[in-house]
Amino acid sequence: MTNPKQCLACNSDLQGRPDKKFCDPYCKSAWHYSKNRDEDAGFYHKVDRQLKTNRKILKSFNKAGKATVQSEVLLGHGFDPKFFTHYWKNNKGDVYLFVYEFGFLTRKENGKKKYILVTWQQYMEK
């Protein structure tokens, strides 16, 4: 007599196929969710999470389309300037880094580092 297999999620006895691992779709989904949640996020997930964080922060500080914010303020909210999606160079040679539609330019004024925040405009496509 063989011991019945148990569901990996809820430990209830399994009925049916010999290779069955879960008692129902809910347990299968719950087990995979907890497994993925407990594992370290891969490189892609870390980058994606930081890009989303950066976009959210830039959007919250740039309500009017253009703003200037001290770097400590953005960095204090979790902003990381190393994560951006693309860049745009203006006629003066300034390079704006963008996180999707929200961009920033690093400036140093009066010895303090600041970010000039902008929103992507149609003329920047060229």
Side-chain angles (χ1 to χ4, degrees):
M1 188 158 157
T2 61
N3 292 338
K5 288 182 79 178
Q6 293 183 328
C7 174
L8 294 177
C10 69
N11 295 322
S12 64
D13 290 340
L14 295 176
Q15 303 295 323
R17 294 188 340 254
D19 63 337
K20 194 172 184 181
K21 296 179 182 179
F22 305 100
C23 58
D24 60 26
Y26 174 80
C27 279
K28 181 178 179 181
S29 178
W31 185 81
H32 283 288
Y33 175 78
S34 66
K35 179 182 172 218
N36 290 336
R37 183 191 59 193
D38 294 341
E39 289 180 3
D40 286 339
F43 177 74
Y44 168 79
H45 294 293
K46 289 178 184 177
V47 170
D48 187 51
R49 187 178 314 120
Q50 187 61 53
L51 285 172
K52 288 177 182 176
T53 300
N54 281 359
R55 183 187 180 277
K56 181 180 172 185
I57 293 167
L58 291 174
K59 182 179 180 182
S60 70
F61 282 95
N62 189 6
K63 300 285 186 193
K66 187 171 183 182
T68 303
V69 182
Q70 289 187 5
S71 66
E72 306 93 47
V73 174
L74 291 184
L75 298 174
H77 282 84
F79 181 76
D80 189 341
K82 294 180 287 194
F83 290 84
F84 57 92
T85 56
H86 61 286
Y87 67 92
W88 174 72
K89 189 174 184 178
N90 68 9
N91 294 336
K92 298 177 188 176
D94 297 327
V95 177
Y96 288 81
L97 302 178
F98 278 83
V99 182
Y100 304 108
E101 74 272 29
F102 299 103
F104 61 97
L105 173 68
T106 307
R107 283 274 188 235
K108 200 162 201 173
E109 295 177 2
N110 300 326
K112 292 191 176 193
K113 188 175 174 183
K114 297 181 180 183
Y115 291 116
I116 298 171
L117 309 181
V118 296
T119 304
W120 183 262
Q121 302 294 318
Q122 198 69 25
Y123 69 86
M124 295 176 177
E125 288 185 23
K126 203 170 190 184

